[in-house]
Amino acid sequence: MGLLSPIAALGRAVLSGLAWIGRLSIFAAQTVRHIFTPPWYPRELGHALLAIGWLSLPVVGMTAIFTGAALALQIYIGSARFSAEAVVPQITAIGMVRELGPVLCGLMVAARVASSVAAEIGTMKVTEQIDALVTLSTHPMKYLTAPRVLAATLSMPLLVAIGDIIGIMGGYLVATQRLDFNASTYITNTVNILDAGDILSGIVKGAVFGFLIALMGCYQGMQSGRGAQGVGRATKTAVVAASVLILASNYLLTEVFFSA
Amino acid sequence: MIELQDIHKSFGPKQILRGVDLTIPKGESMVIIGGSGTGKSVTLKCVLGLIRPDRGRILVDGTDVEQQDRDDFLARFGMLFQGAALFDSLHVWENVAFRLMRGKLKRPRAEAREIAIEKLRRVGLTPDVADQYPAELSGGMQKRVGLARAIAAEPEIIFFDEPTTGLDPIMSGVINDLIREIVVEMGATAMTITHDMTSVRAIADKVAMLHGGKIRWSGPVSEMDSCGDPYVTQFVSGSAEGPIEAVR
């Protein structure tokens, strides 16, 4: 019995993980159905676009500019070892647009949005506001989940695009002000290296990450346990799960877009 | 008329309801009393469809609630939640008019606002409260807003979940009087769950006591004190001595 207990524990963990994936998949499918079927709540969508998209701009911008600047500096230092300093604009642009822009933007928005959505919906659950919605003939998933997931899916590609531009600008500032790169050459090299596939991959990644972030926030909020501890746990789980899903889906999307 | 027939409900191994039978005639005010954790809220939520019973039937005006159109069914109900359950992100008037701005009862925003202000006035709140947020109000005011929301669409059936919990005795009295007035004025069927015996006497036409997952006693409020049931007597007197265990 003692020998088998680790195997039993492993089995329970696997079953529990599979059950979680199953519940989340059903929740995601229901969310998509509610996004495409009436009634729609445009005011809720507007509020969600403002809260998720517009208000995330400062944190995305700050993250992108410092990341771009540090990236340009590191590439310069690394490439100087084999006299290839000229590749700084190209590598910075590709690194930002393909990977760092979407992933860091996704992680920052996950920290900001998944937590606030999970806490808000979790609090609504423990204070019976979700039950109140039902008694007022309003489907909680239509009213709470669908607008937030749609807003995040629509606004994340824009945030990623803006983050990419600001990140490249960060690299440009370091290169031209500190590393004595020629400004027009830097811009020309950046523009020439990027193609439509690079931009598209970032946009698609942004949309997928946005969907996952809001979905995890809403799902954990709806599953929240009782009291402050329950809401706290839901918030933490939403951020952790959204971050892990972003990193995992980023790898899969990179394979899809760029594998030979 | 609301009829609960042999309602059972368990959560995991814990059996909460073990065959609840209860009839609430149309236009009457029924108050369900019972200790904490006896399943009063579960019973109420079963009627509303927020919780699905494991066994038994719930009929409203002779029709099984499972067979009724969900929106039409819910449109007949109003509910005052224990903590008022107001939506934090909406103004007070938007909370009150929530049902009037969506679904089958949807009407223009200006008209919905007017009705909301009228309902706020009905529960003793001035129009300037309409543009505040719920978090800016006291507990008593939030309860009144919750009451205004419950009656906004003039429902046939109103549920009150612990309407005076957390309020001082004077505000409890105000809420009890308002509930009684509104229920009589609207001719609504009312179902209230409470521990507060002052509320029971102020609100109830009939009283039912839930204990051990079943209705232990039910009858007119005037007979409650003299019913002779030891469980009811202990609960009404608030005594620690009696068949109901003080430590549960």
Side-chain angles (χ1 to χ4, degrees), chain A residues 55-72:
Chain A
L55 295 178
S56 293
L57 264 176
V59 70
V60 166
M62 296 288 275
T63 307
I65 198 159
F66 291 121
T67 304
L71 185 64

Side-chain angles (χ1 to χ4, degrees), chain B residues 11-229:
Chain B
F11 294 100
K14 197 172 180 187
Q15 199 166 1
I16 305 294
L17 304 180
R18 300 162 187 261
V20 171
D21 291 294
L22 185 67
T23 301
I24 307 172
K26 200 176 179 78
E28 280 203 356
S29 174
M30 169 70 78
V31 175
I32 301 178
I33 58 173
S36 300
T38 51
K40 302 189 298 297
S41 291
V42 173
T43 304
L44 191 147
K45 287 180 178 180
C46 281
V47 178
L48 279 170
L50 296 171
I51 293 175
R52 176 169 278 193
D54 300 332
R55 186 143 56 98
R57 290 208 311 163
I58 297 167
L59 309 175
V60 174
D61 292 339
T63 312
D64 195 319
V65 296
E66 296 278 337
Q67 290 162 7
Q68 298 189 25
D69 177 81
R70 190 87 182 117
D71 282 352
D72 290 343
F73 171 73
L74 287 170
R76 301 172 65 188
F77 284 86
M79 165 112 187
L80 171 61
F81 285 85
Q82 188 174 345
L86 301 175
F87 306 124
D88 304 322
S89 58
L90 301 181
H91 289 109
V92 163
W93 80 265
E94 290 172 312
N95 268 280
V96 175
F98 193 89
R99 197 195 278 276
L100 306 175
M101 294 196 292
R102 291 160 186 87
K104 290 177 180 170
L105 299 173
K106 186 173 180 175
R107 57 199 74 199
R109 209 170 154 79
E111 190 187 330
R113 184 183 157 91
E114 250 177 59
I115 294 171
I117 289 174
E118 182 209 317
K119 297 298 176 190
L120 286 170
R121 205 174 273 129
R122 178 66 195 86
V123 299
L125 293 172
T126 51
D128 59 297
V129 171
D131 291 314
Q132 291 183 305
Y133 283 97
E136 297 172 275
L137 307 180
S138 68
M141 289 168 90
Q142 287 186 10
K143 276 273 164 78
R144 290 190 202 209
V145 175
L147 185 54
R149 183 173 70 182
I151 62 170
E154 312 212 329
E156 300 163 40
I157 302 161
I158 314 179
F159 287 173
F160 302 98
D161 185 359
E162 308 273 6
T164 55
T165 297
L167 301 181
D168 66 64
I170 294 168
M171 188 52 69
S172 296
V174 170
I175 295 288
N176 287 336
D177 291 347
L178 269 173
I179 289 173
R180 187 70 213 177
E181 280 169 30
I182 285 166
V183 168
V184 169
E185 186 180 294
M186 293 173 64
T189 306
M191 182 170 159
T192 307
I193 57 177
T194 186
H195 300 115
D196 180 353
M197 295 315 296
T198 311
S199 285
V200 177
R201 293 178 205 286
I203 296 170
D205 292 321
K206 284 189 176 163
V207 179
M209 173 149 182
L210 190 60
H211 183 79
K214 288 186 170 192
I215 298 296
R216 173 83 206 174
W217 176 85
S218 74
V221 66
S222 55
E223 294 175 13
M224 182 176 66
D225 293 310
S226 55
C227 70
D229 185 290

